[in-house]
Amino acid sequence: MNLPDFAQPFDDNVDAGLQWLSDHGANWFDLANAVLKGLYEAVVWVIALPPFYLVALFIALLGWRAVGRRFALLTFVALLCCELIGLWPATVSTLALVLTATVLALVVGIPLGVAAGLAPRFDRLVDPCLDLVQTLPPYIYLLPAIALLGYGPATALLATFIVAVPPVLRLTSLGIRMTPREFIELGDASGVTSVQMFFKIRLPFAMPSIMAGINQSLMMAFGMVVIAGIVGSGGLGEAIYGAIRTLDIAKSINAAIAIVILTMILDRLAQSAVRSNEGARP
């Protein structure tokens, strides 16, 4: 006895749904493509406008203030290495993609995380969705994005945004729920309002967890950089993908070194911000 084939009708419905969205929402998707591409290009323009050494010096000064003098010196030398191997423009493009996607993820993830932390029912609804997003292969997000937005930085930005949202949303929710019960009871006994309770008690306790979520979102965004190169994202991801297609091992190693440099710098800066918030916890 042959079992019914459920996969084919499901696949047909998915294809039909994407086709319907493409036909009836073409104007909206064109607008989204233009907005995302324009936002990405604006960030690239801002970072690329000053000379290389000013950008490197600015990042090094941030490292000096956040981490220390030795880290600042190593940061400047590492960024100089990106310039010397001829990958500074690609590094700027990658930095713009990661920062833009992460900021968009924070704009969406932190408010939703706060809502999930305050509303257990909403948290139970969101949690399996986050599990699904985090367990699916990242390539999955590129396919529908290509179908709806086409190739280019907008598709890469959307896919990177999707993988960057879950960490900050989940850790924000966790931080809000971790507020010690005695402090909440103390606030209730003091007659504070709900808004005061959130900003003066819950948020300060949640900030270290939120900052850890921001750090994790940055790392997830970097993890998507190489994959996003497939859809013409530009930057180091596209350089690595192009090197793979042409078997240019030296070029791929250079681009990988630049990605490691950029990742380590932003990771250390984010970790420093996490430690600062842990020290400021009430």
Side-chain angles (χ1 to χ4, degrees):
M1 179 179 178
N2 294 327
L3 295 176
D5 184 6
F6 293 104
Q8 190 60 47
F10 176 78
D11 294 344
D12 293 340
N13 288 331
V14 170
D15 291 338
L18 283 175
Q19 187 62 48
W20 185 88
L21 283 174
S22 180
D23 292 340
H24 292 80
N27 293 334
W28 291 104
F29 290 119
D30 288 343
L31 177 62
N33 190 0
V35 170
L36 292 175
K37 183 179 179 181
L39 181 61
Y40 165 76
E41 290 178 347
V43 177
V44 171
W45 180 82
V46 169
I47 300 176
L49 181 62
F52 148 77
Y53 56 86
L54 289 182
V55 177
L57 181 62
F58 175 74
I59 298 175
L61 290 176
L62 286 179
W64 189 347
R65 180 177 178 82
V67 182
R69 191 178 305 174
R70 181 182 177 185
F71 176 75
L73 178 60
L74 291 175
T75 295
F76 187 84
V77 172
L79 293 176
L80 177 61
C81 177
C82 295
E83 168 69 12
L84 293 177
I85 61 179
L87 289 175
W88 179 249
T91 302
V92 168
S93 299
T94 298
L95 179 61
L97 176 64
V98 170
L99 291 181
T100 305
T102 303
V103 170
L104 292 176
L106 301 185
V107 170
V108 173
I110 291 179
L112 288 179
V114 170
L118 297 175
R121 290 185 178 179
F122 182 62
D123 183 63
R124 288 193 295 270
L125 176 65
V126 169
D127 198 51
C129 298
L130 297 179
D131 290 339
L132 179 65
V133 171
Q134 290 184 296
T135 53
L136 286 175
Y139 287 98
I140 294 296
Y141 308 120
L142 293 176
L143 299 178
I146 292 172
L148 299 175
L149 298 178
Y151 285 86
T155 298
L157 185 57
L158 178 60
T160 307
F161 160 80
I162 291 173
V163 300
V165 166
V168 69
L169 198 162
R170 196 185 290 274
L171 287 174
T172 298
S173 174
L174 176 64
I176 295 296
R177 294 197 308 271
M178 286 175 57
T179 305
R181 188 66 192 173
E182 57 269 23
F183 281 86
I184 296 177
E185 293 174 351
L186 178 62
D188 290 333
S190 302
V192 299
T193 65
S194 299
V195 175
Q196 291 173 329
M197 175 75 77
F198 174 75
F199 284 103
K200 294 185 177 181
I201 297 178
R202 288 187 179 274
L203 188 59
F205 276 104
M207 278 306 297
S209 183
I210 294 174
M211 295 303 300
I214 294 174
N215 184 30
Q216 291 300 310
S217 291
L218 273 172
M219 295 304 101
M220 292 299 296
F222 271 113
M224 193 68 185
V225 163
V226 177
I227 298 174
I230 298 174
V231 297
S233 63
L236 299 171
E238 188 170 347
I240 290 179
Y241 183 64
I244 291 174
R245 288 187 300 172
T246 58
L247 294 179
D248 190 341
I249 298 176
K251 183 177 179 181
S252 66
I253 292 176
N254 289 340
I257 291 173
I259 288 179
V260 170
I261 288 172
L262 207 53
T263 304
M264 292 181 64
I265 290 172
L266 292 185
D267 182 46
R268 290 294 302 276
L269 291 175
Q271 286 185 15
S272 176
V274 172
R275 288 193 294 268
S276 298
N277 277 276
E278 288 177 346
R281 176 183 286 185

